[in-house]
Amino acid sequence: MPETASTTRVLQSGHRLTVYLSDCIDARSVSEIERQLLPQLSSTDGRPDVLFDLQAVRTFDLDVRAALVALHRTVAGRARRTVYLAARAHIRGLALWLIHFAEDPASSVAMNTAQAEAWLTQGKERVTWTLERTEQALSNLTGSGKPHGGRP
């Protein structure tokens, strides 16, 4: 089944750059991100926040992972915080892999817009932020208002 190349656009709103991708992340889309995003990162005053909106991405080419890590490292060096917003589990997995190999503590992955906004606006460290989200999810599953499913 032939894949469709990603549609890429970068929008600036205040001190935030949002990168929208759709369909398949491939070599062409990585080049397009670099062409559109890197000049804006260089021309922005200070260190902007960067949100990669991957909600419309269905798949990715495994061969571009190294290029994505290199791109992430460049972005991490110029951005204050970065978040990957992805609805699909395998796309979130890619984002986690990128963050891990780029060794970037100022980046995270979000499942929804509220989580992405929280990461960019709150000053919490990634581990604290993740633990709070996990405890909230467990609480929602068990129906208790207590962390760890209400266990003592």
Side-chain angles (χ1 to χ4, degrees):
M1 173 173 79
E3 297 295 342
T4 305
S6 176
T7 304
T8 305
R9 62 190 165 106
V10 178
L11 299 177
Q12 182 170 1
S13 176
H15 215 60
R16 178 177 302 164
L17 294 169
T18 303
V19 180
Y20 293 94
L21 292 150
S22 61
D23 299 323
C24 175
I25 300 174
D26 58 11
R28 187 171 34 182
S29 59
V30 174
S31 295
E32 188 62 20
I33 295 167
E34 291 171 338
R35 187 186 70 74
Q36 291 185 41
L37 178 61
L38 298 183
Q40 288 191 49
L41 273 172
S42 298
S43 66
T44 304
D45 291 335
R47 295 171 58 94
D49 292 326
V50 178
L51 187 155
F52 285 92
D53 188 333
L54 309 178
Q55 294 179 99
V57 173
R58 295 178 298 108
T59 188
F60 60 92
D61 182 350
L62 289 172
D63 295 335
V64 302
R65 290 179 300 172
L68 286 169
V69 170
L71 173 64
H72 181 92
R73 285 183 176 140
T74 301
V75 170
R78 299 178 188 174
R80 185 185 73 86
R81 287 192 115 160
T82 303
V83 67
Y84 290 88
L85 173 58
R88 292 176 174 86
H90 68 288
I91 304 300
R92 285 193 308 274
L94 170 65
L96 287 167
W97 189 89
L98 295 174
I99 292 167
H100 173 74
F101 278 92
E103 299 177 356
D104 180 16
S107 293
S108 193
V109 177
M111 291 177 53
N112 57 51
T113 305
Q115 288 178 354
E117 287 293 327
W119 174 252
L120 293 175
T121 58
Q122 295 176 3
K124 296 179 181 177
E125 294 294 321
R126 186 170 57 216
V127 172
T128 302
W129 186 70
T130 303
L131 286 173
E132 288 176 359
R133 287 177 34 212
T134 302
E135 288 180 351
Q136 181 60 47
L138 288 171
S139 174
N140 290 343
L141 287 173
T142 63
S144 80
K146 299 176 185 175
H148 309 294
R151 291 178 297 223

